[in-house]
Amino acid sequence: MPSNMRFDGQTVVITGAGGGLGKAYALFFGFRGANVVVNDLGSSSKGEGYSSKAADVVVDEIKKAGGNAVANYDSVEFGERIIETAVKAFGSVHVLINNAGILRDISFKNMKDPDWDLIQLVHLKGAFTTTKAAWPVFRKQKFGRIINTASAAGLYGSFGQANYSAAKLGLVGFTETLAKEGAKYGIVANVIAPIAASRMTQTVMPEDLLSMLQPEWIVPLVAHLAHKDNEETGGIYEAGAGFVSKLRWERSEGALFKTDDSFTPAAILARWTEIMDFESKTPQYPSGPNDFMSLLESARELPSN
Ligand code: NAD
């Protein structure tokens, strides 16, 4: 990142910015000239309790360094209050980083409704309410940068995290749609799957690995995506320990069947290797729900299966 990349005049809202990744983002933007809204409920990593201290400490650090920051202690369930804090303090919002998160890890067999519901509430509903409140501001000013936070658990699945995986992949779909709907209003939306040492990971990863995973190593990617010069939208990025990469969907070339009485389970089985083939045929990289529709015309001409 250029050492002069600055965010003067930009208001950056970061949820869950009292610790971990959110704190690293808040300090960066605060030191680079942005007006920062440091939101944090101050709960435990399981979503229990409340404290204003987490957000206050980060705000104090930014202010001591000569930056501009205000605290907000609302749960992300009430995202409109967080955006209201930004607009009242700084007149607008330009960047929204949906980062707040909790875990309720438990095997699927033992997962109870509250384990499921609270995870969806904080991750999905939280991102929805903040974005919903920021959206009209973004549209009006024809500018907005949204960074949502997914997880490798959502992209690939992870033992004991069915609730969290579902929410995190939900945020990928959410982001992809925001990118499409926001395009003509200058609203850019991307989603990251970070890996970093924080209280979330400190109990599940060995010490030597954690030492390589500083939250600060996620900051350069987030800063780039948040910057006004970045127009790349709808991207899914994995980042951690200095590694940054982009993900996309890959679809096998597949098989196209005549849709008549010959389209049977046996017909599928006969061409199963083609359906599964990512090697010898040309893979496709779809980016929209209708990407395969052009095939349908050629399907009319096919002989029976
Ligand atoms: P963290 O626990 O250090 O930080 C999360 C912050 O969110 C905490 O300060 C917490 O108080 C706050 N928070 C929790 N519920 C809230 C609510 N309802 N409203 C407002 N604030 C709330 O964890 P972290 O590792 O920094 O995680 C940040 C984000 O990154 C999360 O969304 C997490 O799921 C995601 N993530 C982290 C990793 C990782 O390796 N650390 C991996 C994948 C995804």
Side-chain angles (χ1 to χ4, degrees), residues 204-260:
V204 292
M205 284 183 189
E207 200 58 41
D208 55 335
L209 184 59
L210 288 169
S211 65
M212 295 164 60
L213 296 171
Q214 292 183 37
E216 287 72 21
W217 303 146
I218 310 296
V219 172
L221 172 65
V222 168
H224 167 66
L225 296 174
H227 198 263
K228 59 180 170 32
D229 292 346
N230 171 53
E231 291 182 358
E232 193 72 38
T233 193
I236 310 166
Y237 299 91
E238 269 189 296
F243 173 73
V244 178
S245 91
K246 186 173 183 181
L247 281 92
R248 61 181 174 182
W249 292 106
E250 181 175 334
R251 181 166 60 203
S252 71
E253 192 180 295
L256 187 60
F257 296 87
K258 180 83 173 175
T259 48
D260 60 11

Side-chain angles (χ1 to χ4, degrees), residues 16 21 39-40 75-76 99 149-150 164 168 194-196 198-199 201:
L21 288 162
N39 157 262
D40 207 293
S75 169
V76 283
N99 164 79
T149 310
Y164 181 76
K168 288 307 201 184
I195 177 153
S198 74
R199 64 182 191 173
T201 45

